[in-house]
Amino acid sequence: MNKKIYVREGEIHSLINEIAEKGFLQKRLFFEEGFSLDLDKLVVAGHSMGGMAAILAARSNPYVKCLLTHDPWLMPAYQDILDGKITGFKEDQPTFLLNTATFHDRMKDYPFDHLKCFETLRDKHIKARQLE
């Protein structure tokens, strides 16, 4: 397990919680009064290690309604995925795990089967949806 990925997950939670605070746009980004964020449509997205961090954050943050990853690097949490510690995503959450053919080919020397990890995540998500 790579603990850095869980630190990054915590940072995403902290950012989302900060964004959710009343007056965030005015206090931190200096927007005029009257502007607000619609947290009912929050999407978390990430590429590579950010994609894995987005997967972790999306499964447990109540504000996240949709997950989009591009070539998520599953290596930091692969054992947790295979051991069932990362059990998938929220049942009603659209989830997109996009991969290019060449991204994971470059990781042949890493000691994990990325396709098996994706299959495990997919199967857990399908099972969760069937339990609805």
Side-chain angles (χ1 to χ4, degrees), residues 5-90:
I5 196 69
Y6 294 99
V7 170
R8 183 112 14 126
E9 174 193 12
E11 292 170 347
I12 293 171
H13 288 300
S14 294
L15 177 60
I16 291 171
N17 291 336
E18 186 175 349
I19 288 170
E21 289 179 12
K22 185 174 174 71
F24 168 79
L25 290 175
Q26 289 73 30
K27 292 176 196 171
R28 303 283 284 171
L29 301 177
F30 310 108
F31 276 65
E32 295 178 18
E33 290 297 323
F35 287 95
S36 64
L37 296 172
D38 184 354
L39 294 175
D40 290 332
K41 298 178 182 170
L42 185 64
V43 176
V44 172
H47 172 260
S48 193
M49 189 167 179
M52 184 65 231
I55 288 171
L56 293 172
R59 69 192 170 103
S60 61
N61 193 296
Y63 288 112
V64 177
K65 304 301 187 239
C66 183
L67 168 66
L68 171 64
T69 67
H70 182 243
D71 292 329
W73 188 46
L74 303 178
M75 171 67 180
Y78 83 95
Q79 196 61 55
D80 288 349
I81 293 168
L82 296 177
D83 289 346
K85 294 177 184 173
I86 298 173
T87 56
F89 316 100
K90 292 179 267 185

Side-chain angles (χ1 to χ4, degrees), residues 88-89 97 117-128:
F89 316 100
L97 304 174
C117 287
F118 278 108
E119 289 170 356
T120 301
L121 288 173
R122 179 202 61 208
D123 293 348
K124 299 275 185 191
H125 187 60
I126 290 169
K127 185 176 181 182

Side-chain angles (χ1 to χ4, degrees), residues 73 101-114:
W73 188 46
T102 59
F103 181 77
H104 291 286
D105 285 347
R106 288 182 264 154
M107 299 185 190
K108 292 176 185 167
D109 295 331
Y110 287 94
F112 79 107
D113 183 344
H114 69 277

